[in-house]
Amino acid sequence: STGLIWQGQTPAGTGLRANDRMFSNYDSTTGNQNYNGGSHIPATQSQIDASTNSIGFKNAVNASNLCGSSAWRMPTTAELQGLIKTTETPMIDNAWFPNTVTSPSNSWYRSSTPYPGTSYSTQCINFVNNNNSGCLRSEVIGLIRLVR
């Protein structure tokens, strides 16, 4: 109904789009996005391009021409919240979004939306319990479901 196309996830251990791959979320070398022991420092370009970071993952998916497209991007918080379906567990349409992680502690999906008041956190959505919280950009804890 939104016209968005979402990247599917594959089961754990199955490669690039596996549902057990966690990511950091650096997207700029100009902001203090790297929370490092109480201080905030800029991310490096190598941290941004790393395969364990959201941008490195997005670039790899775009290079693979997934579904004939190289226009995949990180979703906003509002776009992720649009997937919430409170009548299912996890709270997402399980027919259209198989392989969604069901462990509350490991099911944070990252967005491109900055967490209010910080440069070192972004908003994350948890489809298990419908939480919206801040995730440190530097932590390799978030899952990613790209959109186009």
Side-chain angles (χ1 to χ4, degrees):
S1 65
T2 63
L4 296 173
I5 298 172
W6 291 89
Q7 166 242 316
Q9 288 185 301
T10 58
T14 58
L16 179 63
R17 296 180 298 118
N19 71 357
D20 61 345
R21 293 198 60 213
M22 302 285 176
F23 300 91
S24 57
N25 196 13
Y26 301 117
D27 65 1
S28 173
T29 59
T30 60
N32 291 329
Q33 295 187 345
N34 192 352
Y35 182 81
N36 186 359
S39 63
H40 305 99
I41 58 176
T44 65
Q45 191 62 51
S46 63
Q47 287 173 311
I48 292 170
D49 295 336
S51 63
T52 56
N53 187 59
S54 58
I55 301 300
F57 173 69
K58 175 193 66 110
N59 291 343
V61 169
N62 282 329
S64 75
N65 205 33
L66 178 65
C67 298
S69 178
S70 60
W72 296 96
R73 62 176 174 79
M74 290 287 291
T76 65
T77 299
E79 289 168 336
L80 282 172
Q81 287 175 321
L83 298 178
I84 303 260
K85 189 171 183 181
T86 58
T87 58
E88 298 211 25
T89 302
M91 293 183 191
I92 191 169
D93 189 320
N94 292 289
W96 286 101
F97 297 96
N99 301 310
T100 299
V101 176
T102 58
S103 167
S105 62
N106 295 331
S107 58
W108 291 100
Y109 281 80
R110 290 193 175 272
S111 79
S112 62
T113 308
Y115 195 74
T118 73
S119 59
Y120 55 85
S121 295
T122 56
Q123 292 183 25
C124 291
I125 300 294
N126 188 313
F127 289 110
V128 173
N129 54 23
N130 194 15
N131 277 347
N132 175 353
S133 185
C135 294
L136 291 174
R137 291 178 181 270
S138 58
E139 290 184 310
V140 182
I141 60 163
L143 301 158
I144 295 177
R145 191 178 293 274
L146 299 174
V147 67
R148 64 179 175 105

PDB file of all heavy atoms in Angstrom, residues 8-21 99:
ATOM      1  N   GLY A   8      14.220  -8.770   1.403  1.00  0.00           N
ATOM      2  CA  GLY A   8      13.935  -9.957   2.197  1.00  0.00           C
ATOM      3  C   GLY A   8      15.168 -10.422   2.944  1.00  0.00           C
ATOM      4  O   GLY A   8      16.298 -10.079   2.602  1.00  0.00           O
ATOM      5  N   GLN A   9      14.937 -11.180   3.997  1.00  0.00           N
ATOM      6  CA  GLN A   9      16.032 -11.769   4.754  1.00  0.00           C
ATOM      7  C   GLN A   9      16.004 -13.274   4.571  1.00  0.00           C
ATOM      8  O   GLN A   9      14.951 -13.879   4.388  1.00  0.00           O
ATOM      9  CB  GLN A   9      15.906 -11.420   6.236  1.00  0.00           C
ATOM     10  CG  GLN A   9      16.216  -9.970   6.505  1.00  0.00           C
ATOM     11  CD  GLN A   9      16.202  -9.662   7.979  1.00  0.00           C
ATOM     12  OE1 GLN A   9      15.212  -9.857   8.647  1.00  0.00           O
ATOM     13  NE2 GLN A   9      17.322  -9.168   8.469  1.00  0.00           N
ATOM     14  N   THR A  10      17.176 -13.842   4.644  1.00  0.00           N
ATOM     15  CA  THR A  10      17.322 -15.289   4.536  1.00  0.00           C
ATOM     16  C   THR A  10      17.613 -15.854   5.925  1.00  0.00           C
ATOM     17  O   THR A  10      17.952 -15.106   6.836  1.00  0.00           O
ATOM     18  CB  THR A  10      18.444 -15.636   3.538  1.00  0.00           C
ATOM     19  OG1 THR A  10      19.666 -15.026   3.985  1.00  0.00           O
ATOM     20  CG2 THR A  10      18.121 -15.136   2.125  1.00  0.00           C
ATOM     21  N   PRO A  11      17.483 -17.166   6.108  1.00  0.00           N
ATOM     22  CA  PRO A  11      17.747 -17.751   7.431  1.00  0.00           C
ATOM     23  C   PRO A  11      19.183 -17.508   7.909  1.00  0.00           C
ATOM     24  O   PRO A  11      20.084 -17.207   7.120  1.00  0.00           O
ATOM     25  CB  PRO A  11      17.485 -19.243   7.215  1.00  0.00           C
ATOM     26  CG  PRO A  11      16.586 -19.314   6.030  1.00  0.00           C
ATOM     27  CD  PRO A  11      16.998 -18.167   5.154  1.00  0.00           C
ATOM     28  N   ALA A  12      19.386 -17.672   9.179  1.00  0.00           N
ATOM     29  CA  ALA A  12      20.701 -17.484   9.802  1.00  0.00           C
ATOM     30  C   ALA A  12      21.778 -18.288   9.082  1.00  0.00           C
ATOM     31  O   ALA A  12      21.553 -19.416   8.666  1.00  0.00           O
ATOM     32  CB  ALA A  12      20.637 -17.893  11.276  1.00  0.00           C
ATOM     33  N   GLY A  13      22.934 -17.655   8.923  1.00  0.00           N
ATOM     34  CA  GLY A  13      24.093 -18.334   8.354  1.00  0.00           C
ATOM     35  C   GLY A  13      24.052 -18.544   6.850  1.00  0.00           C
ATOM     36  O   GLY A  13      24.830 -19.329   6.316  1.00  0.00           O
ATOM     37  N   THR A  14      23.180 -17.824   6.140  1.00  0.00           N
ATOM     38  CA  THR A  14      23.029 -18.082   4.701  1.00  0.00           C
ATOM     39  C   THR A  14      23.585 -16.982   3.809  1.00  0.00           C
ATOM     40  O   THR A  14      23.219 -16.893   2.652  1.00  0.00           O
ATOM     41  CB  THR A  14      21.548 -18.324   4.351  1.00  0.00           C
ATOM     42  OG1 THR A  14      20.792 -17.175   4.744  1.00  0.00           O
ATOM     43  CG2 THR A  14      21.016 -19.568   5.012  1.00  0.00           C
ATOM     44  N   GLY A  15      24.460 -16.147   4.333  1.00  0.00           N
ATOM     45  CA  GLY A  15      25.123 -15.180   3.464  1.00  0.00           C
ATOM     46  C   GLY A  15      24.772 -13.730   3.708  1.00  0.00           C
ATOM     47  O   GLY A  15      24.390 -13.338   4.808  1.00  0.00           O
ATOM     48  N   LEU A  16      24.875 -12.941   2.652  1.00  0.00           N
ATOM     49  CA  LEU A  16      24.777 -11.490   2.718  1.00  0.00           C
ATOM     50  C   LEU A  16      23.527 -11.006   3.447  1.00  0.00           C
ATOM     51  O   LEU A  16      23.590 -10.117   4.284  1.00  0.00           O
ATOM     52  CB  LEU A  16      24.805 -10.904   1.290  1.00  0.00           C
ATOM     53  CG  LEU A  16      24.685  -9.388   1.168  1.00  0.00           C
ATOM     54  CD1 LEU A  16      25.861  -8.689   1.841  1.00  0.00           C
ATOM     55  CD2 LEU A  16      24.590  -8.985  -0.298  1.00  0.00           C
ATOM     56  N   ARG A  17      22.360 -11.565   3.167  1.00  0.00           N
ATOM     57  CA  ARG A  17      21.105 -11.080   3.739  1.00  0.00           C
ATOM     58  C   ARG A  17      20.581 -11.956   4.879  1.00  0.00           C
ATOM     59  O   ARG A  17      19.405 -11.908   5.236  1.00  0.00           O
ATOM     60  CB  ARG A  17      20.056 -10.954   2.637  1.00  0.00           C
ATOM     61  CG  ARG A  17      20.451  -9.908   1.590  1.00  0.00           C
ATOM     62  CD  ARG A  17      19.436  -9.738   0.476  1.00  0.00           C
ATOM     63  NE  ARG A  17      19.259 -10.949  -0.300  1.00  0.00           N
ATOM     64  CZ  ARG A  17      18.124 -11.633  -0.399  1.00  0.00           C
ATOM     65  NH1 ARG A  17      17.049 -11.229   0.226  1.00  0.00           N
ATOM     66  NH2 ARG A  17      18.055 -12.720  -1.134  1.00  0.00           N
ATOM     67  N   ALA A  18      21.454 -12.721   5.504  1.00  0.00           N
ATOM     68  CA  ALA A  18      21.060 -13.609   6.607  1.00  0.00           C
ATOM     69  C   ALA A  18      20.542 -12.813   7.800  1.00  0.00           C
ATOM     70  O   ALA A  18      21.042 -11.732   8.111  1.00  0.00           O
ATOM     71  CB  ALA A  18      22.239 -14.473   7.038  1.00  0.00           C
ATOM     72  N   ASN A  19      19.536 -13.364   8.475  1.00  0.00           N
ATOM     73  CA  ASN A  19      18.901 -12.649   9.583  1.00  0.00           C
ATOM     74  C   ASN A  19      19.701 -12.661  10.882  1.00  0.00           C
ATOM     75  O   ASN A  19      19.225 -12.159  11.897  1.00  0.00           O
ATOM     76  CB  ASN A  19      17.484 -13.171   9.832  1.00  0.00           C
ATOM     77  CG  ASN A  19      17.459 -14.558  10.437  1.00  0.00           C
ATOM     78  OD1 ASN A  19      18.489 -15.195  10.634  1.00  0.00           O
ATOM     79  ND2 ASN A  19      16.273 -15.047  10.716  1.00  0.00           N
ATOM     80  N   ASP A  20      20.894 -13.178  10.854  1.00  0.00           N
ATOM     81  CA  ASP A  20      21.741 -13.132  12.047  1.00  0.00           C
ATOM     82  C   ASP A  20      22.915 -12.169  11.888  1.00  0.00           C
ATOM     83  O   ASP A  20      23.802 -12.118  12.735  1.00  0.00           O
ATOM     84  CB  ASP A  20      22.244 -14.533  12.415  1.00  0.00           C
ATOM     85  CG  ASP A  20      23.095 -15.177  11.331  1.00  0.00           C
ATOM     86  OD1 ASP A  20      23.095 -14.697  10.162  1.00  0.00           O
ATOM     87  OD2 ASP A  20      23.743 -16.191  11.636  1.00  0.00           O
ATOM     88  N   ARG A  21      22.923 -11.391  10.822  1.00  0.00           N
ATOM     89  CA  ARG A  21      23.998 -10.415  10.600  1.00  0.00           C
ATOM     90  C   ARG A  21      23.645  -9.103  11.279  1.00  0.00           C
ATOM     91  O   ARG A  21      22.625  -8.502  10.999  1.00  0.00           O
ATOM     92  CB  ARG A  21      24.212 -10.177   9.109  1.00  0.00           C
ATOM     93  CG  ARG A  21      24.762 -11.421   8.424  1.00  0.00           C
ATOM     94  CD  ARG A  21      25.382 -11.152   7.086  1.00  0.00           C
ATOM     95  NE  ARG A  21      26.501 -10.224   7.210  1.00  0.00           N
ATOM     96  CZ  ARG A  21      26.812  -9.340   6.269  1.00  0.00           C
ATOM     97  NH1 ARG A  21      26.112  -9.256   5.159  1.00  0.00           N
ATOM     98  NH2 ARG A  21      27.835  -8.530   6.434  1.00  0.00           N
ATOM     99  N   ASN A  99      11.575 -14.979   8.197  1.00  0.00           N
ATOM    100  CA  ASN A  99      12.927 -14.913   8.767  1.00  0.00           C
ATOM    101  C   ASN A  99      13.169 -13.660   9.601  1.00  0.00           C
ATOM    102  O   ASN A  99      14.313 -13.257   9.803  1.00  0.00           O
ATOM    103  CB  ASN A  99      14.008 -15.038   7.678  1.00  0.00           C
ATOM    104  CG  ASN A  99      13.890 -16.326   6.923  1.00  0.00           C
ATOM    105  OD1 ASN A  99      13.797 -17.390   7.523  1.00  0.00           O
ATOM    106  ND2 ASN A  99      13.852 -16.249   5.604  1.00  0.00           N
TER     107      ASN A  99
END
